Amino acid sequence: MRKTSTIYKTLIWDEEVSLAVLDSTALVNEAIRRHRLTPVAAAALGRTMSATAYLCSWLKDEKSLLSVTVAGDGVGGKICVSGDGKLHMRGFAENPSANLPPRADGKLDVGGFVGREGTLTVIRDDGSGIPYVGTSALVSGEIAEDFSAYFLTSEQRPTAIALGVKIGTDGKCLGAGGVFFQPLPGASEASISHIEKIIGDYAHVSTLIETVGAEGILSDIAAGCNIASRTVSYKCHCSRTAIRSLILSLGREEAESILREMGEIKVHCDYCNTDYEFGADEVHALFGGKDEGR
Ligand SMILES: [Zn+2]
């Protein structure tokens, strides 16, 4: 079982096309562990996390943030993924326990989980003050085509994408990842039509990742190219310290009123499925001691 996820990037075909190959098996297994995802939920969230990691790999600054929301009309509800320039990723599906029978071809019904009507929204914040927001309509809910449409309509960067997540009978991910071809400005017609011809070869990219790995895919298509690799990990930004400032921002009155009603303050982080509990004593200490009616 792979312990880390890695994205490899290189330029192929006389440097006319940017190629990225991602092995996100470990990332998807961490999402399954944190959210107890059904196989179809793992496939939908895993594909979305893989495509979002690719988007994050283009961020220039480590502190830049990027988030993706896939809001379709399927049984899984919304899928939210966010990451940063360090390729620290986190994400969740609104209904992680929603399940669907496999499709007629035996594949997990990701389109049914996500839904075919809806939007894909990307928010990119490079810290300059005004975040960039791009939205496109879902094409199939199968995620790869939806991201391809987003790249074309919102970023004007045609990108051929293959994504896959394979789940074993024990509910764990056996192989997950993606292959991304993006022709650079000025790429020749020959390169562009070659991408269209071979993208179908990666229809079973999860099986390729499971058997030959990202290295095997690269040795096949990018032999002799200069390949850069970066680690992708599941990491949430939340912390007890961050929740403390959140409680402080409520103000003493509001915090006291929650304590009176609930006996404690409980905050849940959807992204990593963690509960933070603050008892009355800790909340009082936070506001500099118990309010004695000053
Ligand atoms: Zn969290």
Side-chain angles (χ1 to χ4, degrees):
M1 192 75 72
R2 286 183 191 81
K3 290 265 187 325
T4 54
S5 289
T6 310
I7 187 163
Y8 301 86
K9 282 169 100 174
T10 187
L11 296 173
I12 55 170
W13 308 339
D14 295 330
E15 309 202 335
E16 288 192 0
V17 174
S18 155
L19 168 73
V21 179
L22 167 67
D23 175 347
S24 55
T25 313
L27 187 72
V28 175
N29 271 318
E30 185 58 18
I32 292 170
R33 190 185 72 77
R34 285 180 190 251
H35 298 294
R36 293 185 286 280
L37 303 163
T38 61
V40 69
L45 178 58
R47 287 185 198 177
T48 309
M49 289 190 87
S50 300
T52 308
Y54 173 69
L55 276 166
C56 286
S57 76
W58 290 106
L59 294 172
K60 290 195 176 69
D61 192 322
E62 287 201 336
K63 289 198 195 97
S64 296
L65 301 171
L66 188 141
S67 68
V68 168
T69 304
V70 180
D73 60 352
V75 295
K78 254 188 222 158
I79 294 175
C80 301
V81 175
S82 85
D84 59 24
K86 285 190 201 132
L87 302 182
H88 290 167
M89 311 300 303
R90 52 187 192 148
F92 65 93
E94 242 173 2
N95 299 319
S97 55
N99 213 349
L100 287 171
R103 305 189 318 190
D105 62 3
K107 284 199 169 192
L108 292 164
D109 189 4
V110 173
F113 185 87
V114 172
R116 283 157 188 93
E117 296 287 327
T119 54
L120 186 158
T121 303
V122 176
I123 302 176
R124 194 168 55 221
D125 186 353
D126 59 9
S128 66
I130 304 162
Y132 157 90
V133 183
T135 299
S136 62
L138 294 182
V139 176
S140 63
E142 293 285 334
I143 305 298
E145 288 170 296
D146 306 306
F147 272 91
S148 271
Y150 164 79
F151 272 104
L152 190 64
T153 59
S154 283
E155 308 246 357
Q156 285 81 48
R157 295 298 296 271
T159 308
I161 302 173
L163 296 169
V165 172
K166 189 172 172 183
I167 304 294
T169 47
D170 62 356
K172 294 214 172 87
C173 177
L174 298 171
V179 177
F180 307 81
F181 293 90
Q182 193 173 79
L184 300 182
S188 64
E189 273 308 313
S191 287
I192 292 166
S193 65
H194 194 51
I195 294 173
E196 286 161 12
K197 218 158 66 195
I198 65 167
I199 188 68
D201 297 349
Y202 300 97
H204 299 281
V205 63
S206 56
T207 302
L208 287 174
I209 294 285
E210 182 194 8
T211 52
V212 299
E215 298 84 353
I217 296 173
L218 286 161
S219 70
D220 187 40
I221 193 167
C225 296
N226 206 347
I227 298 167
S229 72
R230 292 177 69 196
T231 299
V232 181
S233 48
Y234 199 114
K235 201 161 187 185
C236 194
H237 297 170
C238 74
S239 66
R240 222 173 153 79
T241 310
I243 307 291
R244 273 194 206 102
S245 6
L246 192 73
I247 295 173
L248 277 170
S249 72
L250 291 175
R252 184 189 285 258
E253 238 172 82
E254 179 66 20
E256 288 288 349
S257 123
I258 298 172
L259 280 181
R260 273 196 301 277
E261 202 175 315
M262 316 289 292
E264 62 176 354
I265 297 183
K266 222 168 157 175
V267 179
H268 181 76
C269 177
D270 286 331
Y271 279 103
C272 61
N273 205 13
T274 303
D275 280 318
Y276 291 92
E277 284 156 23
F278 290 78
D281 287 350
E282 197 174 350
V283 174
H284 290 142
L286 213 53
F287 286 99
K290 194 164 163 47
D291 188 354
E292 306 288 1
R294 277 173 289 176

